[in-house]
Every structure is written in C-alpha cells, then in structure tokens.
C-alpha cells in the first residue's frame, strides 16, 4: 500500500493527499474551522511544523515549534463545533486528540478558538486550559 492511499490521520475516510494533505501543501485553504482543526491534527501526526505555524493566528503564534520526537498522534475525536462555517469569521471546536508516547497511551482535550485572518481560517488558541489524560 502506498502512502498516498493511506487514510488521512484526521479520521475522515479520504486518503491523506485528498484530505488534509491538500491544505498542508498550500493547494487550498481549509474551508471551515473544523477542517482547519482536523488539518492541524494531521500536521502534528505527519510532523509538518511549517503548516502548524502558518495556520496559527499572528497574535498568538510562537516564534518556533518543536514537536516531541517520541510522540505519535494516532486518533482524533471531534466532540463539538460552534460556528466556524464557510461564511463565518469565528468559530470553536472541542476535540480529543489521542497519542502514544514511550509506550503509553494518552489524550489531549481542548476547546479551541479559530478566526479568519486575511481570509483564511487560523488557530487562535485554547478557550480554557488544555487537559492531558
């Protein structure tokens, strides 16, 4: 099986290049806040820090981002969305992201805010403190 035929890490049934990969390469922007959040999860899963920084709001974006080398992002659950549609300018997504690190399973629970900047959806930050389980 080729990498291009593997399911997207975000959990949708499309292959990575046809799903989040098209946003990572800059081919087109994510159309909704949820699509951006899913593409950011996939960027963590494939190690695309450039996309993560590009899709971060300029007012909250860190200067650099270092991913944990032993952390593998495995599964995403979208728990709720609020606004964030194709014709809106703000939205939020609550999700649980599952990972494995050092042989142990864990999860991150976050309720994130998103907004449009220069017409494109970007991640603003967590609405409340991030919870690790």
């Amino acid at each position: 099986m080729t990498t291009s035929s593997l399911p997207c890490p975000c959990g949708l049934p499309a292959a990575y290049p046809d799903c989040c990969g098209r946003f990572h390469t800059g081919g087109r922007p994510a159309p909704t806040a949820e699509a951006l959040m899913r593409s950011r999860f996939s960027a963590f899963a494939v190690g695309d820090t450039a996309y993560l920084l590009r899709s971060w709001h300029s007012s909250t974006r860190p200067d650099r981002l270092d991913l944990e080398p032993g952390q593998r992002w495995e599964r995403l659950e979208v728990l709720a969305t609020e606004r964030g549609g194709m014709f809106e300018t703000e939205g939020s997504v609550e999700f649980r992201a599952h990972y494995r690190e050092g042989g142990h399973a864990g999860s991150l629970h976050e309720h994130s805010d998103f907004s449009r900047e220069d017409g494109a959806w970007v991640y603003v930050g967590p609405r409340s403190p991030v919870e690790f389980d």
Side-chain angles (χ1 to χ4, degrees):
M1 180 179 281
T2 65
T3 304
S4 63
S5 65
L6 292 176
C8 191
C10 80
L12 294 177
Y16 169 73
D18 298 325
C19 194
C20 294
R22 63 192 166 148
F23 305 134
H24 295 173
T25 61
R28 65 183 274 211
T32 64
E34 181 180 335
L36 179 71
M37 192 282 309
R38 286 180 176 280
S39 72
R40 287 178 55 82
F41 173 84
S42 291
F44 275 103
V46 301
D48 190 345
T49 56
Y51 179 78
L52 290 166
L53 290 170
R54 270 194 328 272
S55 62
W56 213 310
H57 195 279
S58 62
S59 69
T60 57
R61 180 187 312 127
D63 292 332
R64 59 181 278 175
L65 181 63
D66 297 317
L67 301 180
E68 294 293 327
Q71 194 172 52
R72 308 291 295 166
W73 293 97
E74 298 183 328
R75 185 170 58 91
L76 176 67
E77 293 176 81
V78 174
L79 305 173
T81 60
E82 184 179 319
R83 299 184 335 268
M86 292 176 62
F87 303 108
E88 297 176 290
T89 59
E90 295 182 340
S92 68
V93 180
E94 181 180 6
F95 65 92
R96 180 168 283 113
H98 298 269
Y99 63 90
R100 184 164 293 281
E101 185 171 20
H104 301 287
S107 67
L108 172 145
H109 179 214
E110 184 175 328
H111 192 167
S112 302
D113 285 324
F114 297 84
S115 70
R116 288 194 189 262
E117 186 172 59
D118 298 327
W121 281 107
V122 290
Y123 170 74
V124 177
R127 182 172 280 189
S128 57
V130 176
E131 299 173 22
F132 284 91
D133 300 322

